[in-house]
Amino acid sequence: MKPSPSLPLWLLVATLTVPLLGLTSPLIEVDDARYAQIPAEMLRSGDWVLPTLDGTPYVEKPPLWYWSAGVSYRIFGINEAAARLPMWILSCLGILGVGWLGTWLYSVQVGRAAAAATATAGLWLFLTHNLTLDMPVSVFLLYATALALRAMARPDDARWAAPATWVAAALAFLSKGLIALLLPGLWVLGLCALYPPLRKGARRLISPLGVALATLIAAPWFAAMQGRRPDFLHVFFIEQHFERYLTPKYNRGAPWWFYLAVLPAGLMPWTSAFLAGLWRSIRQPFGTDYRGPALSFWTLGVAVFFSTSHSKLATYVLPVVPHAALLAAVALDQGLPFWAQRFSRTLGMMLLAGGALATATLASGRLPPSWWPPPGLPLDALAPVILLAIAFFLVLGIAQIAAPSLKHAEVALSLAGLCAGIFLFCGLRYVSPLISARDIGTVVRNEIQAEDSLWTYGFYLQGLPFYAHHPVDKLVMFEGEFHYAMRDPQLKERFGNDNHLKSAPAPATRRFVVLRSKERIHFEDCARQRQQIDSWREFGTWSLAVVRARPGGPRARRFGLACAGGL
């Protein structure tokens, strides 16, 4: 392979526009829908300080994303496209940032290739579409590290780079919290310890102007929240940071090697190039060239940090993707070593073999009916989903096999990532009945009346109030994201147990109950004595029951005994 990346500008622009294909796709459960609903409630209430979820306080995360989406809603209305547009803009801002970093750190060609690699890396591409707070914090952490490195490498530029570093860190802090200060701070200290020439510029990062700007940006919201909720700082910092990291309280555990699997998969189709760039930079970490080690230390440091946490989600490792993409671009610029070329071809053959095996298995019709087709997937969507899945694996596999032999491997990998993204976003539309509350929420919106109530049982569909245009009036047998709200005595009527499920609606009203289909027998046993079920409709694994009071039912005591016997 001739190592001379020269990515066409049109291809880079095309990679930026791929997420626009999914702009109007239905919101995905759970995070995608939750982070679309919270800013919608902010806009409707006019309260831009206290975030709420289904009308109850939600203080787990800072508000920068909510404000961004709320502004978009104000301009374009409350809909999926308006929810996703700010995330796409943030993604583009991050891609421009890694391009800028690669350009001044290495060359224009490397910067452009790194930008395309970031835009088409699987995890980054998906989270441009799926709303989480990991994208905003990743973008601002990228700028914080890029500006800090600029100040350290070129001390004369510290007069503007140092304050800008603090501004970026403050925006990252308003996106997700303490990692905005902790991770860049540890990274800068590590670089200073290993590379003495960087220390002069690092001292200039202690910028009074930067600290003042960061304080003005981040502090007002925290002060306002503490004034509204006296327990806020304890909940936000102690519970949501330290307890989440140090204890298994939030039930998001995973093995220590979790990110060793997530990161290579999330960087597809750039995995082999990233591994080559990482190996080259860490095998001689103490030379005079700080550039590769600085990128590698950030990538490995962030991955190790989250690997030691008791709370692990695949999305947490997103902040390393731009730096890893830059390592991949540098590796392609220098030429992939033989082992990386071989790894790329092997990975490609595995992708093709896996796609072929999956296709043959589906075509054989030997899968259990409970596995395939998935309940709720329209029959006319089966063929498109299978064809898109085949095309997805095919394009990635061919690119992995062919890239090491091509003159411009970065072009082939960018095209593969672009096509894979197109197939992914098209496929999400077909499978939306399985992963989105849009269908069930639309039915509720069209049928529910002002005097009716909307309940959920055993779980909470985050997108239900978004699509139903109606709050969930009572959550039965569910805590989840509402653990903070459940502490408030004024909100106790919003939450219930099985005893509330047994109660009948008020006369002349209906109760719309959303539950998992597997709970149907239990629900019917509880409902039959004092309630009559007007309709029961299934939406994939979810169901919607519409009930009203049964006239002349038996006494409540008999009902309770009958329900207990059904359990």
Side-chain angles (χ1 to χ4, degrees):
M1 183 192 331
K2 184 178 179 180
S4 57
S6 58
L7 194 80
L9 185 59
W10 67 265
L11 182 53
L12 176 58
V13 173
T15 63
L16 296 177
T17 60
V18 170
L20 295 177
L21 294 173
L23 208 61
T24 59
S25 296
L27 298 170
I28 301 172
E29 294 293 321
V30 227
D31 288 347
D32 193 36
R34 181 193 308 132
Y35 291 120
Q37 174 62 18
I38 293 173
E41 294 188 20
M42 265 192 169
L43 179 64
R44 289 182 178 126
S45 69
D47 185 348
W48 295 88
V49 175
L50 178 63
T52 61
L53 178 61
D54 201 38
T56 67
Y58 185 77
V59 300
E60 293 187 4
K61 300 295 188 292
L64 185 61
W65 164 250
Y66 309 144
W67 293 341
S68 303
V71 171
S72 181
Y73 286 153
R74 184 179 289 278
I75 298 172
F76 302 107
I78 298 176
N79 54 68
E80 298 105 331
R84 292 203 169 100
L85 183 62
M87 198 65 77
W88 175 73
I89 294 173
L90 282 167
S91 171
C92 292
L93 184 64
I95 292 165
L96 292 175
V98 74
W100 173 74
L101 175 60
T103 296
W104 73 259
L105 204 56
Y106 290 99
S107 67
V108 173
Q109 291 79 8
V110 168
R112 186 177 292 183
T118 303
T120 55
L123 186 61
W124 186 277
L125 186 62
F126 179 66
L127 292 183
T128 302
H129 172 275
N130 191 66
L131 306 181
T132 73
L133 305 187
D134 298 289
M135 178 61 76
V137 76
S138 298
V139 170
F140 294 121
L141 282 176
L142 165 64
Y143 276 91
T145 54
L147 290 162
L149 193 59
R150 178 79 173 207
M152 289 189 288
R154 303 183 183 183
D156 290 343
D157 290 342
R159 63 184 181 276
W160 59 266
T165 300
W166 283 93
V167 169
L171 293 173
F173 192 82
L174 271 181
S175 297
K176 207 168 182 184
L178 282 176
I179 60 170
L181 302 178
L182 179 65
L183 296 180
L186 293 174
W187 179 70
V188 168
L189 290 175
L191 290 179
C192 290
L194 294 174
Y195 297 96
L198 298 179
R199 295 173 187 172
K200 178 181 177 182
R203 285 193 292 269
R204 297 190 179 184
L205 286 172
I206 306 173
S207 164
L209 175 59
V211 174
L213 290 173
T215 303
L216 287 173
I217 291 170
W221 179 76
F222 284 88
M225 276 295 298
Q226 183 64 15
R228 296 274 293 273
R229 311 287 301 189
D231 61 346
F232 167 69
L233 292 180
H234 177 273
V235 172
F236 185 83
F237 289 108
I238 302 301
E239 296 185 15
Q240 294 300 319
H241 283 77
F242 293 103
E243 290 185 6
R244 186 180 289 273
Y245 187 87
L246 297 172
T247 73
K249 176 180 178 180
Y250 293 91
N251 195 29
R252 287 181 175 175
W256 64 268
W257 47 262
F258 179 68
Y259 292 111
L260 293 179
V262 169
L263 186 55
L267 288 170
M268 285 289 297
W270 303 88
T271 305
S272 59
F274 157 69
L275 293 175
L278 181 68
W279 172 246
R280 276 179 176 159
S281 64
I282 64 175
R283 66 180 178 178
Q284 293 181 335
F286 305 118
T288 57
D289 189 353
Y290 63 88
R291 298 173 298 176
L295 299 171
S296 297
F297 294 162
W298 174 262
T299 303
L300 296 176
V302 173
V304 169
F305 175 82
F306 286 114
S307 294
T308 58
S309 172
H310 283 273
S311 181
K312 296 184 180 72
L313 290 177
T315 58
Y316 289 174
V317 79
L318 186 69
V320 311
V321 169
H323 305 75
L326 187 48
L327 284 171
V330 174
L332 293 174
D333 184 48
Q334 297 174 350
L336 294 182
F338 175 75
W339 67 264
Q341 297 181 36
R342 187 171 183 177
F343 177 82
S344 180
R345 295 189 179 101
T346 302
L347 182 59
M349 289 186 287
M350 292 174 61
L351 287 169
L352 293 180
L357 179 62
T359 302
T361 303
L362 293 176
S364 69
R366 295 181 180 179
L367 288 175
S370 59
W371 290 16
W372 187 264
L377 183 67
L379 292 178
D380 58 359
L382 291 177
V385 167
I386 294 174
L387 291 175
L388 287 168
I390 293 172
F392 180 86
F393 284 102
L394 188 65
V395 71
L396 290 178
I398 291 175
Q400 293 297 309
I401 294 172
S405 303
L406 297 177
K407 180 178 180 180
H408 296 299
E410 75 288 347
V411 174
L413 295 176
S414 297
L415 283 171
L418 186 152
C419 293
I422 292 173
F423 301 147
L424 171 66
F425 292 132
C426 291
L428 286 175
R429 288 184 177 274
Y430 283 107
V431 301
S432 64
L434 308 180
I435 59 178
S436 174
R438 185 172 68 175
D439 291 347
I440 193 169
T442 301
V443 169
V444 172
R445 182 179 73 237
N446 292 336
E447 297 183 8
I448 198 167
Q449 303 296 321
E451 65 274 10
D452 299 331
S453 61
L454 177 60
W455 290 26
T456 60
Y457 177 75
F459 79 124
Y460 178 76
L461 273 179
Q462 305 282 342
L464 185 59
F466 186 93
Y467 289 111
H469 297 177
H470 192 288
V472 175
D473 299 291
K474 189 178 288 290
L475 291 84
V476 181
M477 300 298 292
F478 180 79
E479 181 175 341
E481 293 77 26
F482 298 91
H483 60 89
Y484 176 75
M486 293 179 73
R487 305 176 192 178
D488 193 333
Q490 296 181 353
L491 297 172
K492 64 180 181 179
E493 294 301 323
R494 297 291 304 278
F495 307 98
N497 52 35
D498 269 348
N499 290 327
H500 294 88
L501 184 66
K502 302 168 189 176
S503 64
T509 67
R510 296 175 299 172
R511 180 182 300 157
F512 289 69
V513 184
V514 176
L515 65 160
R516 293 188 178 94
S517 299
K518 64 182 180 181
E519 303 282 359
R520 177 169 184 169
I521 295 177
H522 168 56
F523 178 80
E524 289 179 336
D525 285 345
C526 291
R528 76 164 50 98
Q529 298 298 320
R530 298 183 62 186
Q531 303 170 65
Q532 64 182 32
I533 301 177
D534 284 356
S535 64
W536 180 278
R537 284 162 285 185
E538 295 188 354
F539 300 81
T541 59
W542 313 315
S543 292
L544 172 65
V546 181
V547 300
R548 67 175 70 246
R550 182 186 297 276
R555 295 173 61 185
R557 182 173 176 274
R558 290 182 55 196
F559 162 74
L561 292 174
C563 188
L567 292 174

